[in-house]
């Protein structure tokens, strides 16, 4: 069992009130760590640390700050296996996924933003009699709030651009997954980043997280989490005119046209539904299939699902681990019960698997497929965030587009067709921030990431992140005659 501290002003310290939160491995229910249950006082201390260091950090050139990002990436890479193991223990996700997705992206995020920052070009607009220079200044203090599904992957996605643009950072990871945020603080400490530039404060969302959002001297909030929490964050931050980015939930459609190459793509479609036990905001949890290929699709889909091994997250062959917590498992189960009440038929899964040994009481749930539901039903439109998909038939493309657009969410979608031109024309009619055609989660870190409607506000990714984590200032200099 590990005792985790906050990291404030270059020191690992307990919360000022001395209170703690127990942290569990959801696959075994073992207590694996104790973390600080921080309060507003700890946020105030972190803000003071940022204030003391922000002008010297902001004075460095962007190239000097990019060097720091590379040092962090190198040290993270040295601890690659440790990142994967901690992430697997903390979330219950399969170790192979923690390596290939979480650990890999966490290192890459630092490298990517270091390289991108070095490529930033001057923006100038010349007039007959003057020159406009648009410069990117640091915003100041950035508050970064992250969820439990991809802990270090999402935290590094915010920390790297925030630092490289000259901001000081206060990070508040999910209280359910503190391990790799702590590892990041150790890495940052070991590489010798100036104290106070990066601070990490652990605690509950409604106390510690809320205090972060409400602190008047924190100039920017980048939040990834649930839509209900996003509303609270937006409401608190808006009167202070903070810069804000909200990456929220999704209920993404997977649209399969009648000419789709099902055989070649079935494993990717299954992955889009169940990666990380369906706990990715981009997961395709509503599958819309053309009625002419419905039966053949269903056969392939169920066959592929049945090969996925559920089990010990630390086993190399495990494809599906546990959900994040027993509480979340109960939420997922409640949706399966709701689906039955709404007239749905569960054709695979729908229950906790029988597992033995130390994982017998873990938060596991079988991959579940529900058919026969109205596309407007609650099960088919609300975010479940678990290994549960609903399948719906359509007979013409406009029908599919209407079904895809019928939820309050608008994060992502995927379209599967041999006619990519048709796919692109459908994509334009979808109310989402992102669409993949014949692929899913195929990520180029330069592209804008984010959603519309209840899926969020703003875009991060590539230069969009660098712009969000900076304040644009235009300097118009009149030519001397
Ligand atoms: O997330 P929360 P929860 C969805 C998913 C899930 C639901 C709820 O549907 O079932 O959200 O999950 C911090 N002020 N997603 O409750 O509460 C909290 O401590 C400031 C989608 O676990 O949104 C954590 O650090 N911060 C999602 C972070 O917010 C607050 C990923 C996210 O927690 C706060 C996760 C407050 N008042 C869940 N209250 C995605 N977009 O990928 C909580 N927090």
């Amino acid at each position: 069992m590990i005792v985790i501290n906050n990291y404030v002003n270059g020191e690992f310290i307990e919360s000022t009130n001395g209170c703690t939160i127990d942290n569990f491995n959801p696959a075994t229910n073992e207590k694996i760590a104790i973390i600080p249950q921080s309060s507003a006082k700890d946020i105030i201390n972190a803000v003071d640390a940022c204030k003391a260091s922000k002008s010297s950090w902001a004075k460095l050139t962007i190239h000097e700050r990019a060097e720091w990002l590379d040092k962090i990436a190198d040290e993270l890479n040295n601890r690659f296996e440790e990142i994967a193991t901690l992430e697997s223990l903390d979330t219950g996700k399969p170790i192979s996924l923690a390596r290939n997705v979480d650990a890999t992206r966490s290192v890459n995020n630092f490298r990517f933003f270091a390289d991108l920052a070095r490529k930033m070009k001057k923006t100038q607009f010349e007039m007959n009699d003057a020159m406009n220079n648009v410069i990117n200044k640091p915003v100041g203090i950035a508050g970064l709030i992250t969820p439990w599904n991809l802990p270090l992957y999402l935290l590094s996605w915010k920390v790297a651009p925030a630092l490289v643009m000259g901001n000081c950072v206060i990070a508040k990871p999910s209280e359910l997954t503190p391990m790799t945020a702590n590892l990041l603080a150790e890495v940052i400490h070991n590489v010798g980043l100036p104290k106070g530039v990066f601070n990490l404060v652990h605690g509950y969302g409604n106390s510690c997280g809320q205090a972060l959002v409400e602190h008047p001297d924190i100039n920017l909030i980048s939040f990834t989490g649930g839509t209900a929490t996003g509303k609270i964050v937006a409401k608190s931050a808006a009167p202070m005119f903070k810069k804000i980015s909200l990456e929220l939930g999704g209920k993404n459609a997977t649209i399969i046209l009648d000419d789709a190459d099902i055989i070649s793509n079935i494993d990717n479609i299954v992955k889009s539904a169940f990666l990380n036990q369906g706990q990715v905001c981009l997961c395709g949890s509503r599958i819309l299939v053309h009625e002419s290929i419905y039966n053949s699709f269903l056969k392939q889909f169920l066959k592929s699902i049945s090969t996925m091994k559920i089990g010990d997250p630390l086993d190399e062959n495990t494809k599906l681990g546990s959900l994040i917590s027993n509480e979340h498992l109960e939420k997922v189960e409640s949706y399966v019960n709701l689906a039955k009440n709404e007239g749905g038929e569960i054709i695979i899964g729908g229950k906790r698997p029988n597992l033995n040994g130390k994982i017998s009481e873990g938060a596991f749930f079988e991959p579940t497929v529900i058919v026969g539901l109205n596309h407007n039903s609650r099960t088919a439109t609300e975010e479940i965030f678990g290994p549960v998909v609903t399948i719906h038939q359509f007979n013409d493309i406009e029908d599919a587009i209407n079904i895809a657009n019928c939820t309050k969410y608008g994060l992502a979608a995927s379209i599967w067709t041999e006619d990519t031109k048709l796919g692109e024309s459908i994509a334009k009619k979808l109310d989402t921030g992102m669409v993949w055609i014949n692929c899913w989660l195929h990520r180029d870190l330069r592209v804008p990431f984010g959603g519309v409607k209840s899926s969020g506000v703003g875009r991060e990714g590539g230069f969009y992140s660098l712009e969000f984590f900076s304040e644009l200032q235009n300097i118009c200099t009149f030519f001397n005659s």
Side-chain angles (χ1 to χ4, degrees):
M1 216 214 22
I2 305 175
V3 177
I4 285 176
N5 284 318
N6 289 334
Y7 183 66
V8 176
N9 204 22
E11 282 179 51
F12 288 91
I13 49 168
E14 289 180 2
S15 63
T16 48
N17 59 17
C19 297
T20 57
I21 304 172
D22 292 338
N23 178 40
F24 295 91
N25 173 347
T28 60
N29 294 319
E30 277 169 305
K31 186 159 133 182
I32 51 174
I34 294 175
I35 67 167
Q37 190 186 139
S38 309
S39 63
K41 180 82 183 80
D42 300 289
I43 297 293
I44 291 168
N45 291 345
V47 170
D48 289 344
C50 290
K51 280 183 184 167
S53 43
K54 78 180 187 179
S55 66
S56 52
W57 181 246
K59 262 187 220 143
L60 297 184
T61 66
I62 201 160
H63 287 261
E64 287 168 325
R65 290 193 297 262
E67 291 296 304
W68 280 109
L69 262 55
D70 275 337
K71 283 185 199 168
I72 296 170
D74 290 344
E75 185 60 14
L76 283 175
N77 200 36
N78 291 339
R79 298 179 67 176
F80 184 92
E81 196 55 31
E82 197 185 341
I83 296 172
T85 305
L86 289 176
E87 217 67 293
S88 177
L89 290 173
D90 221 3
T91 61
K93 68 176 66 189
I95 185 74
S96 57
L97 183 69
R99 278 194 200 106
N100 298 336
V101 175
D102 298 76
T104 303
R105 252 301 280 286
S106 302
V107 176
N108 286 349
N109 282 340
F110 280 96
R111 291 223 194 288
F112 168 75
F113 280 111
D115 288 346
L116 196 72
R118 291 185 181 107
K119 287 182 191 139
M120 275 189 89
K121 294 209 170 73
K122 276 188 187 168
T123 308
Q124 293 187 313
F125 300 97
E126 191 168 356
M127 303 166 78
N128 288 337
D129 50 5
M131 177 64 86
N132 293 285
N133 278 302
V134 183
I135 60 165
N136 295 75
K137 299 196 341 180
V139 185
I141 304 176
L144 313 179
I145 301 175
T146 46
W148 43 260
N149 56 337
L150 295 157
L152 189 56
Y153 173 123
L154 290 174
L155 184 61
S156 53
W157 180 240
K158 298 179 192 299
V159 171
L163 289 182
V164 86
M165 296 315 288
N167 304 284
C168 287
V169 161
I170 305 174
K172 209 302 277 171
S174 169
E175 57 276 27
L176 298 174
T177 53
M179 295 288 217
T180 49
N182 179 59
L183 183 145
L184 176 64
E186 288 174 359
V187 161
I188 283 177
H189 187 75
N190 291 343
V191 301
L193 193 78
K195 66 177 188 176
V197 171
F198 171 84
N199 303 276
L200 175 65
V201 183
H202 294 277
Y204 288 123
N206 58 8
S207 47
C208 174
Q210 188 68 33
L212 182 75
V213 177
E214 285 175 357
H215 196 296
D217 297 334
I218 296 177
N219 316 86
L220 169 155
I221 299 291
S222 174
F223 171 86
T224 302
T227 295
T229 313
K231 271 188 199 168
I232 299 171
V233 169
K235 205 172 161 184
S236 308
M240 287 177 271
F241 306 112
K242 296 185 181 209
K243 277 196 108 172
I244 189 162
S245 158
L246 302 169
E247 304 290 345
L248 309 176
K251 187 76 176 179
N252 312 296
T254 301
I255 303 175
I256 304 175
L257 302 193
D258 53 0
D259 66 344
D261 181 351
I262 303 290
I263 305 281
S264 315
N265 290 312
I266 197 69
D267 289 342
N268 277 333
I269 295 172
V270 169
K271 187 169 134 191
S272 81
F274 298 113
L275 190 80
N276 203 30
Q277 299 71 245
Q279 301 168 126
V280 179
C281 53
L282 303 164
C283 274
S285 49
R286 289 187 306 146
I287 303 183
L288 319 183
V289 191
H290 192 273
E291 60 186 10
S292 65
I293 56 160
Y294 180 75
N295 288 333
S296 59
F297 167 76
L298 207 54
K299 200 169 145 204
Q300 297 294 329
F301 191 58
L302 296 180
K303 189 172 153 208
S304 177
I305 291 170
S306 63
T307 65
M308 295 173 88
K309 182 175 181 288
I310 309 180
D312 184 350
L314 295 176
D315 181 334
E316 301 288 337
N317 298 317
T318 293
K319 286 283 180 293
L320 285 173
S322 85
L323 305 190
I324 188 62
S325 64
N326 285 316
E327 196 187 3
H328 190 55
L329 170 65
E330 281 166 20
K331 174 186 159 185
V332 171
E333 265 178 335
S334 76
Y335 270 103
V336 173
N337 291 333
L338 174 70
K340 289 177 196 157
N341 292 336
E342 290 184 314
E345 184 195 349
I346 288 136
I347 54 170
I348 194 168
K351 59 180 179 7
R352 301 177 187 205
N354 285 323
L355 297 167
N356 298 319
K358 62 183 172 58
I359 58 167
S360 61
E361 299 299 317
F364 293 85
F365 200 72
E366 291 183 356
T368 299
V369 177
I370 306 171
V371 297
L373 283 171
N374 188 305
H375 64 262
N376 282 314
S377 63
R378 280 187 55 205
T379 312
T381 54
E382 294 179 12
E383 187 179 45
I384 301 174
F385 218 60
V388 178
V389 295
T390 61
I391 305 191
H392 311 269
Q393 298 183 50
F394 65 87
N395 54 28
D396 73 48
I397 286 169
E398 286 309 313
D399 197 17
I401 293 167
N402 288 335
I403 300 174
N405 286 337
C406 84
T407 78
K408 68 174 185 176
Y409 295 105
L411 189 57
S414 68
I415 301 169
W416 305 80
T417 173
E418 290 300 279
D419 184 346
T420 52
K421 282 275 160 276
L422 175 63
E424 286 167 13
S425 74
I426 295 171
K428 289 176 189 158
K429 294 182 181 171
L430 297 178
D431 301 332
T432 62
M434 297 164 278
V435 182
W436 282 285
I437 298 172
N438 294 327
C439 57
W440 177 78
L441 201 49
H442 194 52
R443 291 278 289 122
D444 180 328
L445 301 186
R446 296 170 298 181
V447 308
F449 183 99
V452 302
K453 304 197 289 188
S454 292
S455 290
V457 174
R459 296 290 183 275
E460 293 185 24
F463 287 117
Y464 307 94
S465 288
L466 299 189
E467 193 168 311
F468 172 65
F469 285 105
S470 58
E471 205 61 85
L472 294 180
Q473 183 182 44
N474 184 53
I475 302 173
C476 176
T477 308
F478 199 71
F479 295 143
N480 289 331
S481 49

